Amino acid sequence: MRFEILRLDDVDGNAVDSTVVDAASVNRIVQQAAAIGQRILIRPTESASS
């Protein structure tokens, strides 16, 4: 499963960056964001068709 991770602006909460990662990478990204106090939004995304 793949997830879209949006990094949110601290002032207004708007998305400033977006990336799509696999499930194995989500934990690492959450830990990095928590360590620096960064706001993120994680949502599932559809996998690209092969």
Side-chain angles (χ1 to χ4, degrees):
M1 182 166 205
R2 298 184 63 79
F3 295 88
E4 181 178 23
I5 307 227
L6 298 126
R7 297 184 194 279
L8 305 176
D9 183 74
D10 289 336
V11 176
D12 59 16
N14 288 331
V16 294
D17 186 18
S18 172
T19 188
V20 175
V21 297
D22 60 5
S25 300
V26 172
N27 186 43
R28 176 182 52 82
I29 291 170
V30 168
Q31 288 180 1
Q32 289 174 344
I36 61 172
Q38 185 174 49
R39 295 170 57 194
I40 59 174
L41 171 69
I42 303 169
R43 60 185 176 193
T45 187
E46 294 182 19
S47 298
S49 303
S50 316

